[in-house]
């Protein structure tokens, strides 16, 4: 019921993984050993690996943003040259 009302995971196993992660992150041990490596290990163990299909839209968006920035820089330079 908590999952349905607050989180909305369709798969109860995903919700279970979230609860395990929250408990592990809130454990007293973590606050005593507050090292980045400990947090990294906890998060690495809790996160699912991303597939190429998961990453493709993000990489395409980044590539598009890079192309837009390059084009914008070219247009700015062209405008500067026209003013001279």
């Amino acid at each position: 019921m908590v999952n349905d009302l607050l989180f909305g995971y369709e798969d109860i196993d995903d919700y279970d993984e979230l609860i395990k992660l929250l408990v592990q992150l809130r454990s007293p041990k973590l606050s005593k050993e507050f090292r980045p490596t400990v947090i990294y290990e906890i998060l690495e163990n809790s996160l699912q690996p991303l597939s190429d299909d998961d990453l493709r839209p993000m990489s395409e968006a980044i590539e598009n943003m890079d192309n837009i920035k390059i084009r914008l820089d070219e247009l700015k330079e062209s405008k500067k040259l026209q003013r001279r």
Side-chain angles (χ1 to χ4, degrees), residues 55-67:
L55 294 173
R56 187 171 295 111
M58 182 173 43
S59 64
E60 288 173 356
I62 291 170
E63 186 176 334
N64 288 339
M65 288 177 5
D66 288 342
N67 290 335

Side-chain angles (χ1 to χ4, degrees), residues 20-63:
K20 288 177 185 174
L21 173 63
L22 291 175
V23 168
Q24 192 171 17
L25 287 173
R26 297 286 299 157
S27 71
K29 253 204 268 183
L30 180 62
S31 61
K32 291 179 185 176
E33 300 176 22
F34 191 72
R35 294 188 320 252
T37 54
V38 173
I39 294 173
Y40 175 81
E41 288 174 14
I42 290 170
L43 292 175
E44 185 179 48
N45 292 332
S46 66
L47 298 174
Q48 297 177 7
L50 296 173
S51 70
D52 288 343
D53 290 338
D54 295 329
L55 294 173
R56 187 171 295 111
M58 182 173 43
S59 64
E60 288 173 356
I62 291 170
E63 186 176 334

Side-chain angles (χ1 to χ4, degrees), residues 1-35:
M1 190 170 187
V2 171
N3 174 47
D4 291 340
L5 294 174
L6 291 179
F7 300 105
Y9 284 100
E10 292 179 16
D11 184 2
I12 197 68
D13 291 332
D14 291 339
Y15 173 70
D16 187 48
E17 289 297 318
L18 171 69
I19 297 302
K20 288 177 185 174
L21 173 63
L22 291 175
V23 168
Q24 192 171 17
L25 287 173
R26 297 286 299 157
S27 71
K29 253 204 268 183
L30 180 62
S31 61
K32 291 179 185 176
E33 300 176 22
F34 191 72
R35 294 188 320 252

